[in-house]
Amino acid sequence: MSEIVIYTIVTVSAIGILAAIILYFAAKKFHVVEDPRIDDIEEALPSANCGGCGYPGCRNFAEACVKAENLADLFCPVGGNDVMKDVAGILGQEAIEKAAQVAVIRCSGSFEYRPRTNNYDGAVNCTVAANLYSGDTGCQYGCLGLGECVDACTFDAMYMDEKTGLPVVIQDQCTACGDCVRACPKDIIELRNQGKKDRRIFVSCINEDKGGVAKKNCSVACIGCTKCEKVCNYDAIKIENFLAYIDFTKCVLCRKCIAVCPTDAIHETNFPLRRIKSPVEKKTVVKEKAVVTDNPDLVNIAKKKQESNDNEAESKDKE
Amino acid sequence: MSKLLTVSPSPHNYGKDTIKSLMYGVLIALIPTTVVSLYFFGLGALIVILTSVFSALIFEYLITKYILKKEPSLLDGSAIITGLLLAFNVPSNLPIIIIIIGALVAIGVAKMSFGGLGNNPFNPALVGRVFLLISFPVQMTSWPVPVQSRMQYLDAVTGATPLGLMKEGLRNGEPVSDLMTQIPNNMQMFIGNMGGSLGEVAGIAILLGLVWMLYKKVITWHIPVSMIGTIIILTGIFWLINPDKYADPVFHVLTGGVLLGAVFMATDYVTSPMTTKGMLIFGTGIGLLTVVIRLFGAYPEGVSFAILIMNAFVPLINIYVKPKRFGEVIKNG
Amino acid sequence: MLKTFSRGGVHPPENKLSAVQTIEQLALPKMVTIPISQHIGAPSTPIVKKNDLVKVGQIIAKSSGFVSANIHSSVSGKVIKIDSVMDSSGYKKQSIIIQVDGDEWEESINRDPQLIKEINLSSEEIIKKVGDAGIVGLGGATFPSQVKLSVPKGMTAEILIINGVECEPYLTADHRLMLEKGDELMVGTKILMKALNVSKAVIGIENNKRDAIEHLTSLSSNYEGITIQALKVQYPQGGEKQLIKAVINREVPSGGLPIAVGAVVHNVGTAYAVYEAIQKNKPLFERIVTVTGKSVKNPANYLARVGTSLTELIEASGGLPEDTGKVISGGPMMGKALNTIDIPMTKGTSGVLIIPVGESRRGVVQDCIRCAKCVSVCPMGLEPYLLMTVSEQQNYERTESERAMDCIECGSCSYTCPSNRPLLDYIRLGKAEVGAIIRSRKA
């Protein structure tokens, strides 16, 4: 009996020593000389691997930082200025401050404002729908409401509002990584500066149709009337192709444009209530008015979406 | 125009096949086997089948509804098939509680824990069966004698299966020709008059089911044919080399669930390969493993293990075996 | 045993409701909307302005590249505007809108129905004239025909295959054309043979059109080199690659053109249009359109002018039925679902199919049960279930290596899937992405 035990111990130890020797030489032979700063930087990064910086993962970004001569073109949107300061510290460079940004949905065409003109019945995927046709409303620029941006978001910072059929960004969770911007086939989502006290003013529409056509298809569309452009004292608003765009680097948040917009296409966020007719209040009123659609198709789409999400979760679990 | 038009990508024409129609196609194919098992094993068979099917349905319902939190789709027939196949793979004197445990393992562990229909890597009924075989070896290997035990359940008179007799006899050094006299003749085995699991005994009923499924295009011929063919060829070779030590191919095909496995278990959509070439490899692999287990292994019977082992290879087969592409450019050299 | 292609395929219910309806001339519309992008390739360049007067057959938009086509006015009247209008692509496209006034044709067009058999032009002249007449593939793909007729250097055409398969359910436009314009079709085929310099032509027809097979077989004795091949009914036999496989048993290599195996395929409608262009000097401005559907009052085949609104076609067949759920331009397998019926018909519109509400919706999507039916029906030997998964996961490298670009989008996979999975939707998405990746790689 004791013989067996001894043999076993000897054999196992021999195998162990042999393996250790092999591993030692393998480690020597395949050793890769790497800048230790890459590891340091990687540690400083948020490890979200979201791709928001333009690199596939945090390590690739760290490598790029070490290689780059200066950090001007490199920015981790998730970590923000704090993390970039750390990275710059590791590399002994000057950090370049960037304004914090947030994703903004530039479409307000909810079920109520933008009547459906047909029922979409294909795969629940915005790009599939966009490749097929202009969408289930008269507006060929607007949100398709199938939630590809929500699926793309790695930070759970977006959800679909079932009452409006539009995605909503939860600002506190949004890291401005830009995944949703890339996911949207209609280029509706834009990264804009967060602004002082999170106050922002933007045109919530990208419809380039002529005013009459746009208005017919969606009652909150920008009709390109140029009123906002004229009222703006800071040259922040430009109208191109019947569509106004507010340059967030020039806008001083004076809110003059909001007052003159005939279709409420310009939105403001996080401003205190000022007038009775302020759009913020209007918006809340609207939200109360908006009822869950009784259109079964839309409910179905929402359901399908839910199901496919479930399935996805499962398949991920499986992997 | 008041109503809105529907817009979707092409095609706009949808075929008649649904999961339900395919599953019920399999269920119809299982009817002859059920009838034969009821004829030979009577009361016991009835109890086992009902217990197994109902517990499978109940477990499926509870798990989908309360754990996966989805709308249960009991009527798609897949749980009924699993329950029925589990019943077909156990002896007719199995206590109810063991059957329920088997159904729980089949549905709960083998199917639902992977996400339900379509996501399970292993055949649920077989996982249930093998679990029971390992956990309750005594109960799982006492085989009621057909016809004679028709009106009995737990107290049925038991005997050995032909394969068990053969294995035991060969181990004791008896020649095949002597053993052959102790087991029913081929015709008797073909109609199912032998000891064994509920569904594995009646070759003719299973083949009827196969013909139906092929006619209805529920399955293709590739898996059953390649599997049975491999078994015939391999056992045939051994039989020709030494007929005293190895039984003939017909004996091997008719006994021990080869037909049941080839027609109903290995052809399970979810756990079989996607391409015809892959199906042929899969069937051949099962045949090979079955023969190896039977002739050289400890178990008299190897179909369940062979299928489960090959199930594990299915993802690999799917990755490496591709259909012949149209207009494939064959590289020179 | 009838010939057919070897791999995959499905056989959906044929539903050829309008097969016995003779071709009717549709009344002239009051207004036509002619999109400048009716073909594959670069959109044409309009050469008329607002308020210009045009005649029937007058060129109004010029081809703007090698793969592009001329567009001719289908009516006489005044150009009232050039604007973007919704067309069957589901997007707004530039279109020329003409108010109809009378029916004055260009003098050069020979309107005498007398058959002209002698072919006086040379190969090059024919190809040039086909291009000038704005002829595109009328089977639905709308690929400019003169490009297909110009055989690339180093390759030779051995055989011309005329596609009279019409494998799409419901559609009967080609069927009626073969029955009613048999001789013209034969001469058109001879012209194409001369253009390609081949001595053999085969007209492939599916066996559900016995009358057309018999009619053309009896005519073929008068035309040397043309034979008729009956084919087993199997979708998608009308696909170019499948038809070549079925008729001459050669496989077009992956990513290659039919000419690589010495074959050129043209649709029967195209052959007829070629006859009219060469022998009668008539450019392509009208075509045969099937208007059909289970609840349509009078399913019919119309000879209609390009640019006519589909509303008028549907009105002529008894109006849009009460239970309309879906309107499709083309057949049920590959046609485009429309979001409004107020869109113009184009050169590629082979049919207008109206599907009742009950059949218009897809079933609920369920998990893949890996039944492998999509693999077994794919005529290109692909694995649709896998292509869908990798496209959905945006794993486009794998999508490419699993040969998504070979997909002919026939829809057999989605048709056959018991779990109602949107296989083709995602494969198309994958193809679009992979196509963009390949283009950027080349650039």
Side-chain angles (χ1 to χ4, degrees), chain B residues 1 3 6 8-15 17-19 118-119 217 269 274 322-328, chain C residues 7 251-254 322 325-326 328 332-333 335 362 367-368 370 372-373 380-381 383 385 402 415 419 428:
Chain B
M1 202 175 49
K3 267 175 292 172
T6 300
S8 67
S10 66
H12 310 289
N13 210 349
Y14 313 117
D17 281 345
T18 59
I19 292 184
N119 300 313
K217 297 199 172 127
Y269 285 145
M274 300 295 279
K322 293 293 166 193
K324 187 170 181 299
R325 317 286 199 194
F326 186 99
E328 186 153 33
Chain C
R7 202 166 304 140
E251 281 190 15
V252 179
S254 166
E322 261 302 296
K326 211 182 218 182
I328 292 160
M333 296 302 284
R362 295 182 175 185
D367 282 4
C368 173
R370 300 191 244 172
K373 287 195 183 291
M380 299 306 289
E383 292 159 287
Y385 79 98
E402 295 292 347
Y415 170 81
S419 292
R428 242 189 233 117

Short mmCIF file of all heavy atoms in Angstrom, two decimals, chain B residues 1 3 6 8-15 17-19 118-119 217 269 274 322-328, chain C residues 7 251-254 322 325-326 328 332-333 335 362 367-368 370 372-373 380-381 383 385 402 415 419 428:
data_model
loop_
_atom_site.label_atom_id
_atom_site.label_comp_id
_atom_site.label_asym_id
_atom_site.label_seq_id
_atom_site.Cartn_x
_atom_site.Cartn_y
_atom_site.Cartn_z
N MET B 1 -57.86 55.85 -47.80
CA MET B 1 -57.59 54.52 -47.26
C MET B 1 -57.43 54.62 -45.74
O MET B 1 -56.62 55.37 -45.23
CB MET B 1 -56.30 53.99 -47.88
CG MET B 1 -56.20 52.51 -47.81
SD MET B 1 -54.74 51.97 -48.69
CE MET B 1 -53.52 53.06 -48.01
N LYS B 3 -57.02 51.91 -43.43
CA LYS B 3 -56.06 51.01 -42.79
C LYS B 3 -54.65 51.24 -43.32
O LYS B 3 -54.46 51.63 -44.46
CB LYS B 3 -56.48 49.56 -43.01
CG LYS B 3 -57.34 49.06 -41.87
CD LYS B 3 -57.85 47.67 -42.17
CE LYS B 3 -58.84 47.68 -43.30
NZ LYS B 3 -59.24 46.39 -43.77
N THR B 6 -49.01 47.07 -44.46
CA THR B 6 -47.89 46.46 -43.75
C THR B 6 -46.68 46.45 -44.67
O THR B 6 -46.81 46.16 -45.86
CB THR B 6 -48.26 45.02 -43.37
OG1 THR B 6 -49.40 45.07 -42.55
CG2 THR B 6 -47.12 44.35 -42.63
N SER B 8 -42.74 44.94 -44.99
CA SER B 8 -41.69 44.11 -44.42
C SER B 8 -40.75 43.72 -45.53
O SER B 8 -41.12 43.80 -46.70
CB SER B 8 -42.29 42.87 -43.76
OG SER B 8 -42.85 42.04 -44.75
N PRO B 9 -39.55 43.32 -45.20
CA PRO B 9 -38.65 42.86 -46.26
C PRO B 9 -39.18 41.56 -46.87
O PRO B 9 -39.94 40.84 -46.21
CB PRO B 9 -37.33 42.61 -45.52
CG PRO B 9 -37.44 43.33 -44.22
CD PRO B 9 -38.89 43.34 -43.89
N SER B 10 -38.77 41.25 -48.09
CA SER B 10 -39.21 40.02 -48.73
C SER B 10 -38.60 38.82 -47.99
O SER B 10 -37.60 39.00 -47.31
CB SER B 10 -38.79 40.01 -50.19
OG SER B 10 -37.38 39.97 -50.30
N PRO B 11 -39.08 37.63 -48.09
CA PRO B 11 -40.26 37.22 -48.85
C PRO B 11 -41.57 37.55 -48.12
O PRO B 11 -41.58 37.71 -46.91
CB PRO B 11 -40.09 35.71 -48.95
CG PRO B 11 -39.35 35.35 -47.71
CD PRO B 11 -38.41 36.49 -47.45
N HIS B 12 -42.62 37.63 -48.91
CA HIS B 12 -43.93 37.96 -48.35
C HIS B 12 -44.83 36.74 -48.33
O HIS B 12 -46.02 36.82 -48.13
CB HIS B 12 -44.56 39.08 -49.15
CG HIS B 12 -43.64 40.24 -49.35
ND1 HIS B 12 -43.29 41.07 -48.32
CD2 HIS B 12 -42.95 40.65 -50.42
CE1 HIS B 12 -42.43 41.97 -48.77
NE2 HIS B 12 -42.20 41.74 -50.04
N ASN B 13 -44.23 35.60 -48.63
CA ASN B 13 -44.94 34.35 -48.72
C ASN B 13 -44.34 33.49 -47.62
O ASN B 13 -43.13 33.42 -47.49
CB ASN B 13 -44.58 33.74 -50.09
CG ASN B 13 -45.69 32.91 -50.63
OD1 ASN B 13 -46.65 32.62 -49.93
ND2 ASN B 13 -45.57 32.52 -51.87
N TYR B 14 -45.17 32.90 -46.79
CA TYR B 14 -44.62 32.15 -45.68
C TYR B 14 -45.03 30.69 -45.78
O TYR B 14 -46.18 30.39 -46.04
CB TYR B 14 -45.06 32.77 -44.35
CG TYR B 14 -44.90 34.27 -44.34
CD1 TYR B 14 -45.99 35.10 -44.20
CD2 TYR B 14 -43.64 34.83 -44.54
CE1 TYR B 14 -45.84 36.48 -44.24
CE2 TYR B 14 -43.49 36.20 -44.57
CZ TYR B 14 -44.59 37.02 -44.42
OH TYR B 14 -44.42 38.38 -44.47
N GLY B 15 -44.09 29.83 -45.54
CA GLY B 15 -44.36 28.40 -45.64
C GLY B 15 -45.28 27.91 -44.54
O GLY B 15 -45.54 28.62 -43.57
N ASP B 17 -44.84 25.22 -42.60
CA ASP B 17 -44.21 24.57 -41.46
C ASP B 17 -44.13 25.50 -40.26
O ASP B 17 -43.76 26.66 -40.39
CB ASP B 17 -42.77 24.17 -41.81
CG ASP B 17 -42.74 22.91 -42.64
OD1 ASP B 17 -43.78 22.23 -42.68
OD2 ASP B 17 -41.71 22.62 -43.26
N THR B 18 -44.51 24.97 -39.09
CA THR B 18 -44.28 25.70 -37.85
C THR B 18 -43.63 24.71 -36.89
O THR B 18 -43.63 23.50 -37.17
CB THR B 18 -45.58 26.21 -37.23
OG1 THR B 18 -46.41 25.07 -36.98
CG2 THR B 18 -46.31 27.17 -38.13
N ILE B 19 -43.11 25.23 -35.79
CA ILE B 19 -42.52 24.32 -34.81
C ILE B 19 -43.56 23.28 -34.41
O ILE B 19 -43.30 22.09 -34.34
CB ILE B 19 -42.05 25.12 -33.58
CG1 ILE B 19 -40.87 26.00 -33.96
CG2 ILE B 19 -41.67 24.18 -32.45
CD1 ILE B 19 -40.28 26.74 -32.80
N GLY B 118 -34.37 24.54 -28.51
CA GLY B 118 -33.48 25.12 -29.51
C GLY B 118 -32.10 25.41 -28.98
O GLY B 118 -31.17 25.62 -29.75
N ASN B 119 -31.94 25.44 -27.66
CA ASN B 119 -30.65 25.83 -27.12
C ASN B 119 -29.92 24.71 -26.38
O ASN B 119 -28.81 24.91 -25.93
CB ASN B 119 -30.84 27.02 -26.18
CG ASN B 119 -31.44 28.20 -26.89
OD1 ASN B 119 -31.00 28.55 -27.98
ND2 ASN B 119 -32.48 28.78 -26.33
N LYS B 217 -41.50 14.81 -44.61
CA LYS B 217 -40.28 15.61 -44.64
C LYS B 217 -40.00 16.26 -43.28
O LYS B 217 -39.52 17.38 -43.20
CB LYS B 217 -40.36 16.70 -45.70
CG LYS B 217 -40.48 16.11 -47.10
CD LYS B 217 -40.10 17.08 -48.16
CE LYS B 217 -40.03 16.42 -49.50
NZ LYS B 217 -40.82 17.06 -50.53
N TYR B 269 -33.87 17.53 -33.85
CA TYR B 269 -33.36 18.70 -34.58
C TYR B 269 -32.25 19.43 -33.83
O TYR B 269 -31.22 19.77 -34.37
CB TYR B 269 -34.48 19.72 -34.78
CG TYR B 269 -35.48 19.36 -35.82
CD1 TYR B 269 -36.82 19.70 -35.66
CD2 TYR B 269 -35.09 18.73 -36.99
CE1 TYR B 269 -37.75 19.40 -36.62
CE2 TYR B 269 -36.02 18.43 -37.96
CZ TYR B 269 -37.35 18.77 -37.77
OH TYR B 269 -38.25 18.49 -38.73
N MET B 274 -26.32 20.51 -38.81
CA MET B 274 -27.15 21.29 -39.72
C MET B 274 -27.00 20.87 -41.18
O MET B 274 -27.85 21.12 -41.99
CB MET B 274 -26.80 22.77 -39.62
CG MET B 274 -27.00 23.36 -38.26
SD MET B 274 -28.71 23.38 -37.74
CE MET B 274 -29.34 24.82 -38.57
N LYS B 322 -19.08 22.12 -43.92
CA LYS B 322 -19.90 23.12 -44.59
C LYS B 322 -20.60 22.46 -45.77
O LYS B 322 -20.08 21.53 -46.37
CB LYS B 322 -19.01 24.26 -45.10
CG LYS B 322 -18.38 25.06 -43.98
CD LYS B 322 -19.44 25.82 -43.24
CE LYS B 322 -18.93 26.35 -41.92
NZ LYS B 322 -20.01 26.83 -41.07
N PRO B 323 -21.78 22.94 -46.12
CA PRO B 323 -22.43 22.39 -47.31
C PRO B 323 -21.61 22.73 -48.55
O PRO B 323 -20.80 23.66 -48.52
CB PRO B 323 -23.79 23.09 -47.33
CG PRO B 323 -23.66 24.27 -46.45
CD PRO B 323 -22.56 24.01 -45.49
N LYS B 324 -21.84 22.01 -49.63
CA LYS B 324 -21.14 22.34 -50.86
C LYS B 324 -21.74 23.62 -51.40
O LYS B 324 -22.94 23.69 -51.70
CB LYS B 324 -21.31 21.21 -51.88
CG LYS B 324 -20.47 21.45 -53.11
CD LYS B 324 -20.46 20.22 -54.01
CE LYS B 324 -19.59 20.45 -55.22
NZ LYS B 324 -20.04 21.57 -56.06
N ARG B 325 -20.92 24.64 -51.48
CA ARG B 325 -21.43 25.94 -51.94
C ARG B 325 -21.64 25.91 -53.44
O ARG B 325 -20.90 25.27 -54.16
CB ARG B 325 -20.42 27.04 -51.62
CG ARG B 325 -19.81 26.96 -50.26
CD ARG B 325 -20.76 27.37 -49.20
NE ARG B 325 -20.06 27.73 -47.98
CZ ARG B 325 -20.65 27.87 -46.81
NH1 ARG B 325 -21.94 27.68 -46.70
NH2 ARG B 325 -19.96 28.20 -45.75
N PHE B 326 -22.62 26.69 -53.86
CA PHE B 326 -22.87 26.81 -55.30
C PHE B 326 -21.70 27.57 -55.91
O PHE B 326 -21.32 28.63 -55.45
CB PHE B 326 -24.17 27.57 -55.53
CG PHE B 326 -24.61 27.62 -56.97
CD1 PHE B 326 -25.58 26.74 -57.43
CD2 PHE B 326 -24.07 28.53 -57.85
CE1 PHE B 326 -25.99 26.78 -58.74
CE2 PHE B 326 -24.47 28.57 -59.16
CZ PHE B 326 -25.43 27.69 -59.61
N GLY B 327 -21.18 27.01 -56.99
CA GLY B 327 -20.14 27.71 -57.74
C GLY B 327 -18.88 27.93 -56.95
O GLY B 327 -18.19 28.92 -57.12
N GLU B 328 -18.57 26.98 -56.07
CA GLU B 328 -17.38 27.14 -55.26
C GLU B 328 -16.15 27.10 -56.16
O GLU B 328 -16.00 26.24 -57.00
CB GLU B 328 -17.30 26.01 -54.25
CG GLU B 328 -16.17 26.16 -53.28
CD GLU B 328 -16.49 25.47 -51.97
OE1 GLU B 328 -17.17 24.43 -51.99
OE2 GLU B 328 -16.09 25.98 -50.93
N ARG C 7 -29.51 22.06 -56.22
CA ARG C 7 -29.39 22.25 -54.79
C ARG C 7 -30.51 23.13 -54.24
O ARG C 7 -30.78 24.20 -54.77
CB ARG C 7 -28.05 22.91 -54.50
CG ARG C 7 -27.56 22.71 -53.12
CD ARG C 7 -26.10 23.09 -53.04
NE ARG C 7 -25.30 22.35 -54.00
CZ ARG C 7 -24.32 22.88 -54.72
NH1 ARG C 7 -24.00 24.12 -54.58
NH2 ARG C 7 -23.64 22.15 -55.56
N GLU C 251 -21.97 25.51 -63.24
CA GLU C 251 -22.11 26.39 -62.08
C GLU C 251 -21.30 27.65 -62.28
O GLU C 251 -20.08 27.60 -62.49
CB GLU C 251 -21.66 25.68 -60.80
CG GLU C 251 -22.71 24.74 -60.28
CD GLU C 251 -22.41 24.20 -58.89
OE1 GLU C 251 -21.54 24.76 -58.20
OE2 GLU C 251 -23.06 23.22 -58.51
N VAL C 252 -21.97 28.79 -62.22
CA VAL C 252 -21.26 30.06 -62.28
C VAL C 252 -20.39 30.15 -61.04
O VAL C 252 -20.90 30.00 -59.93
CB VAL C 252 -22.26 31.22 -62.33
CG1 VAL C 252 -21.53 32.54 -62.36
CG2 VAL C 252 -23.20 31.08 -63.50
N PRO C 253 -19.10 30.40 -61.19
CA PRO C 253 -18.25 30.44 -60.00
C PRO C 253 -18.66 31.56 -59.05
O PRO C 253 -19.19 32.58 -59.48
CB PRO C 253 -16.85 30.66 -60.55
CG PRO C 253 -17.02 31.10 -61.95
CD PRO C 253 -18.33 30.59 -62.42
N SER C 254 -18.39 31.33 -57.78
CA SER C 254 -18.74 32.30 -56.76
C SER C 254 -18.11 33.65 -57.08
O SER C 254 -16.91 33.74 -57.34
CB SER C 254 -18.22 31.78 -55.41
OG SER C 254 -18.26 32.81 -54.47
N GLU C 322 -61.10 45.66 -49.84
CA GLU C 322 -61.32 46.07 -48.45
C GLU C 322 -60.28 45.47 -47.51
O GLU C 322 -59.79 46.13 -46.61
CB GLU C 322 -62.71 45.60 -48.00
CG GLU C 322 -63.79 46.66 -48.06
CD GLU C 322 -63.45 47.87 -47.23
OE1 GLU C 322 -63.36 47.70 -46.00
OE2 GLU C 322 -63.26 48.98 -47.78
N GLY C 325 -53.90 43.99 -46.94
CA GLY C 325 -52.97 44.11 -45.82
C GLY C 325 -51.60 44.56 -46.28
O GLY C 325 -50.85 45.19 -45.55
N LYS C 326 -51.28 44.24 -47.52
CA LYS C 326 -49.94 44.50 -48.01
C LYS C 326 -50.01 44.65 -49.52
O LYS C 326 -50.75 43.91 -50.17
CB LYS C 326 -49.09 43.29 -47.67
CG LYS C 326 -47.64 43.55 -47.40
CD LYS C 326 -46.97 42.22 -47.13
CE LYS C 326 -45.94 42.32 -46.05
NZ LYS C 326 -45.28 41.04 -45.82
N ILE C 328 -47.54 44.70 -52.89
CA ILE C 328 -46.17 44.37 -53.24
C ILE C 328 -45.90 44.70 -54.69
O ILE C 328 -46.71 44.41 -55.56
CB ILE C 328 -45.91 42.87 -52.98
CG1 ILE C 328 -45.96 42.60 -51.49
CG2 ILE C 328 -44.58 42.42 -53.54
CD1 ILE C 328 -46.20 41.17 -51.16
N PRO C 332 -44.30 37.63 -54.66
CA PRO C 332 -44.31 37.49 -53.21
C PRO C 332 -42.97 37.06 -52.62
O PRO C 332 -42.75 37.23 -51.42
CB PRO C 332 -45.36 36.41 -52.97
CG PRO C 332 -45.40 35.64 -54.22
CD PRO C 332 -45.10 36.60 -55.32
N MET C 333 -42.10 36.47 -53.41
CA MET C 333 -40.85 36.00 -52.82
C MET C 333 -39.77 37.08 -52.80
O MET C 333 -38.99 37.17 -51.87
CB MET C 333 -40.32 34.77 -53.59
CG MET C 333 -41.21 33.56 -53.50
SD MET C 333 -41.54 32.99 -51.83
CE MET C 333 -40.01 32.19 -51.43
N GLY C 335 -40.42 40.49 -54.17
CA GLY C 335 -40.94 41.83 -54.41
C GLY C 335 -40.75 42.76 -53.22
O GLY C 335 -40.36 42.35 -52.14
N ARG C 362 -46.14 38.47 -40.51
CA ARG C 362 -45.27 37.35 -40.20
C ARG C 362 -45.68 36.75 -38.87
O ARG C 362 -46.29 37.42 -38.05
CB ARG C 362 -43.84 37.84 -40.06
CG ARG C 362 -43.28 38.37 -41.33
CD ARG C 362 -41.85 38.77 -41.08
NE ARG C 362 -41.21 39.19 -42.31
CZ ARG C 362 -39.93 39.50 -42.38
NH1 ARG C 362 -39.19 39.44 -41.29
NH2 ARG C 362 -39.39 39.87 -43.51
N ASP C 367 -37.34 30.87 -31.05
CA ASP C 367 -35.93 30.46 -31.08
C ASP C 367 -35.68 29.50 -32.22
O ASP C 367 -36.56 28.74 -32.60
CB ASP C 367 -35.57 29.75 -29.76
CG ASP C 367 -35.34 30.75 -28.65
OD1 ASP C 367 -35.54 31.95 -28.91
OD2 ASP C 367 -35.01 30.33 -27.53
N CYS C 368 -34.47 29.53 -32.74
CA CYS C 368 -34.07 28.57 -33.76
C CYS C 368 -34.05 27.19 -33.15
O CYS C 368 -33.47 26.99 -32.08
CB CYS C 368 -32.68 28.94 -34.29
SG CYS C 368 -31.98 27.71 -35.41
N ARG C 370 -32.90 24.65 -34.87
CA ARG C 370 -31.83 23.99 -35.62
C ARG C 370 -32.35 22.81 -36.44
O ARG C 370 -31.76 21.74 -36.47
CB ARG C 370 -30.72 23.54 -34.68
CG ARG C 370 -30.13 24.73 -33.95
CD ARG C 370 -28.88 24.35 -33.23
NE ARG C 370 -29.05 24.50 -31.80
CZ ARG C 370 -28.15 24.08 -30.92
NH1 ARG C 370 -27.05 23.50 -31.34
NH2 ARG C 370 -28.35 24.25 -29.64
N ALA C 372 -32.48 22.76 -39.53
CA ALA C 372 -31.65 22.67 -40.73
C ALA C 372 -32.44 22.80 -42.02
O ALA C 372 -31.92 22.53 -43.10
CB ALA C 372 -30.81 21.39 -40.74
N LYS C 373 -33.69 23.21 -41.92
CA LYS C 373 -34.46 23.35 -43.15
C LYS C 373 -33.93 24.48 -44.03
O LYS C 373 -33.93 24.39 -45.24
CB LYS C 373 -35.95 23.56 -42.83
CG LYS C 373 -36.59 22.30 -42.34
CD LYS C 373 -38.11 22.36 -42.36
CE LYS C 373 -38.73 21.10 -41.79
NZ LYS C 373 -38.55 19.92 -42.61
N MET C 380 -27.94 28.24 -52.88
CA MET C 380 -26.53 28.59 -53.06
C MET C 380 -25.64 27.78 -52.12
O MET C 380 -24.44 28.03 -52.04
CB MET C 380 -26.31 30.08 -52.81
CG MET C 380 -27.07 30.99 -53.75
SD MET C 380 -26.77 30.62 -55.48
CE MET C 380 -25.08 31.19 -55.66
N GLY C 381 -26.21 26.84 -51.38
CA GLY C 381 -25.40 26.03 -50.48
C GLY C 381 -24.83 26.82 -49.32
O GLY C 381 -23.72 26.57 -48.87
N GLU C 383 -25.48 28.61 -45.28
CA GLU C 383 -26.15 28.25 -44.02
C GLU C 383 -26.85 29.49 -43.46
O GLU C 383 -26.27 30.23 -42.67
CB GLU C 383 -25.13 27.73 -43.02
CG GLU C 383 -24.54 26.40 -43.42
CD GLU C 383 -23.21 26.18 -42.74
OE1 GLU C 383 -22.24 26.83 -43.12
OE2 GLU C 383 -23.17 25.35 -41.83
N TYR C 385 -29.04 30.11 -41.20
CA TYR C 385 -29.16 30.30 -39.75
C TYR C 385 -27.87 30.91 -39.18
O TYR C 385 -27.90 31.77 -38.32
CB TYR C 385 -29.45 28.96 -39.06
CG TYR C 385 -28.24 28.09 -38.87
CD1 TYR C 385 -27.58 28.06 -37.66
CD2 TYR C 385 -27.72 27.34 -39.92
CE1 TYR C 385 -26.45 27.29 -37.49
CE2 TYR C 385 -26.60 26.57 -39.78
CZ TYR C 385 -25.95 26.55 -38.55
OH TYR C 385 -24.82 25.81 -38.40
N GLU C 402 -18.28 33.17 -44.36
CA GLU C 402 -19.35 32.20 -44.58
C GLU C 402 -20.10 32.52 -45.88
O GLU C 402 -21.18 32.02 -46.11
CB GLU C 402 -20.33 32.17 -43.39
CG GLU C 402 -19.71 31.69 -42.09
CD GLU C 402 -19.34 30.20 -42.10
OE1 GLU C 402 -19.77 29.50 -43.03
OE2 GLU C 402 -18.60 29.77 -41.21
N TYR C 415 -38.81 31.76 -46.00
CA TYR C 415 -40.07 31.12 -46.36
C TYR C 415 -40.25 29.83 -45.59
O TYR C 415 -41.31 29.51 -45.09
CB TYR C 415 -40.09 30.84 -47.87
CG TYR C 415 -41.24 29.97 -48.33
CD1 TYR C 415 -42.50 30.51 -48.54
CD2 TYR C 415 -41.06 28.61 -48.52
CE1 TYR C 415 -43.55 29.71 -48.94
CE2 TYR C 415 -42.10 27.80 -48.92
CZ TYR C 415 -43.35 28.35 -49.12
OH TYR C 415 -44.40 27.57 -49.51
N SER C 419 -39.71 28.58 -37.34
CA SER C 419 -39.72 29.49 -36.20
C SER C 419 -39.95 30.93 -36.64
O SER C 419 -39.81 31.85 -35.84
CB SER C 419 -38.39 29.42 -35.45
OG SER C 419 -38.25 28.17 -34.83
N ARG C 428 -29.35 40.09 -45.42
CA ARG C 428 -29.24 41.29 -46.25
C ARG C 428 -28.43 42.38 -45.54
O ARG C 428 -27.59 43.03 -46.14
CB ARG C 428 -30.64 41.82 -46.54
CG ARG C 428 -30.95 41.81 -48.01
CD ARG C 428 -32.24 42.55 -48.26
NE ARG C 428 -33.12 41.72 -49.02
CZ ARG C 428 -34.28 41.26 -48.61
NH1 ARG C 428 -34.72 41.58 -47.42
NH2 ARG C 428 -35.00 40.52 -49.38
#
